Amino acid sequence: MSVLVTREGPVCIVTLNRPEARNAVDPPTARALYSAMLDFEADDRAQVAILTGAGAGSDWISSLSIPEDWTDPMDDPIPGPMGPSRLMLRKPVIAAIEGPAVAGGMELALWCDLRVMAKPAVMGVYCRRWGVPLIDGGTVRLPRLVGQGRANDLILTGRPVTSGEAAQIGLADRVCARGQALEEALDLAQSLTAFPQACLRADHLSARMSPEHLAEGLRREWASATVLEAEGIAGATRFAEGRGRGGDFSDI
């Protein structure tokens, strides 16, 4: 299965399970992630979720595919290209990142409420090299996390962001040793479950962007991206042919 769901008491662990593809999120995986997060939201026993990746490196990357149908992103029910990116859950979700979380994978990490990064991990808008736009809320959520100026830098250059820099600019909430991201995220999640949950969720919801503003931002992002369909398809094809692997910016 491309997505595995396990439980540690009140903590739900959702694992991307495509190590043979570096945990790239293709359309079936996106749908499975979407369903897993809806199930978590509906499960009264589950209080916090952790999103992580299986296998060495535990990369999160986008398949760099371009949707065939540019449907309004807020039409319900429809998952985002990376799965749950258009949802606003009541319960907190923690990202446990061991390897690269880039392009759509970075947008998936931005969707989470907290991010734990292992020291070798990296984020970045790597899709900048290929003309593939941010279509999973990256342009909406990144400025709120790191400020407009830093978001401009990351969005325009597509450069890699190490875990150390991510912590400095507010992109990562915890940094840990290699191989410890899931354990650190689990400790964090369990600490959250010790609090009265109704109050925690009420404050959590109040502190976030309103659903109306989120919907407006996602629609604006989607409308901007649709005009670039041909450029994005060409870039995604070049990537699929093996160009620019490993974050190589020398061949764009």
Side-chain angles (χ1 to χ4, degrees):
M1 296 178 64
S2 62
V3 173
L4 301 176
V5 180
T6 56
R7 289 281 298 274
E8 289 282 346
V11 179
C12 176
I13 302 173
V14 179
T15 304
L16 286 169
N17 187 43
R18 300 186 72 220
E20 75 286 351
R22 297 175 57 209
N23 291 322
V25 176
D26 59 1
T29 304
R31 288 190 288 271
L33 276 176
Y34 180 80
S35 296
M37 289 303 176
L38 287 181
D39 290 344
F40 158 67
E41 178 79 346
D43 187 349
D44 291 337
R45 301 169 301 166
Q47 297 176 354
V48 181
I50 295 172
L51 179 60
T52 192
S58 300
D59 304 351
W60 295 3
I61 62 175
S62 165
S63 64
L64 285 182
S65 60
I66 303 297
E68 295 179 1
D69 180 11
W70 295 89
T71 306
D72 187 318
M74 302 313 295
D75 283 350
D76 188 34
I78 177 173
M82 292 295 285
S85 56
R86 295 168 186 162
L87 297 174
M88 180 179 280
L89 305 184
R90 296 175 299 118
K91 306 174 188 178
V93 181
I94 302 171
I97 306 167
E98 276 289 340
V102 299
M106 180 176 177
E107 293 185 281
L108 193 57
L110 294 175
W111 172 77
C112 296
D113 301 294
L114 294 167
R115 284 152 295 281
V116 176
M117 290 182 71
K119 288 184 177 178
V122 64
M123 293 196 204
V125 187
Y126 282 14
C127 50
R128 177 59 55 241
R129 299 167 294 165
W130 308 114
V132 175
L134 295 170
I135 51 177
D136 277 275
T139 66
V140 180
R141 295 185 175 103
L142 185 59
R144 286 180 60 86
L145 282 175
V146 303
Q148 189 64 59
R150 290 191 175 106
N152 290 345
D153 177 18
L154 302 186
I155 290 171
L156 293 174
T157 69
R159 67 178 179 82
V161 182
T162 64
S163 58
E165 181 183 2
Q168 290 177 349
I169 66 177
L171 190 53
D173 301 286
R174 303 284 191 280
V175 174
C176 59
R178 182 192 297 270
Q180 297 300 306
L182 179 56
E183 183 176 343
E184 182 83 7
L186 187 55
D187 287 345
L188 178 57
Q190 289 172 337
S191 74
L192 299 185
T193 67
F195 298 124
Q197 292 298 296
C199 180
L200 180 146
R201 292 174 192 171
D203 286 348
H204 176 49
L205 179 62
S206 180
R208 288 184 291 170
M209 184 186 307
S210 71
E212 295 79 15
H213 287 160
L214 175 61
E216 180 185 357
L218 291 174
R219 284 198 175 101
R220 185 176 65 248
E221 179 184 74
W222 194 256
S224 298
T226 58
V227 302
L228 305 174
E229 183 175 2
E231 186 177 72
I233 290 173
T237 300
R238 293 177 67 204
F239 181 80
E241 291 170 349
R243 308 280 281 276
R245 299 293 185 182
D248 179 14
F249 275 66
S250 63
D251 182 18
I252 58 175

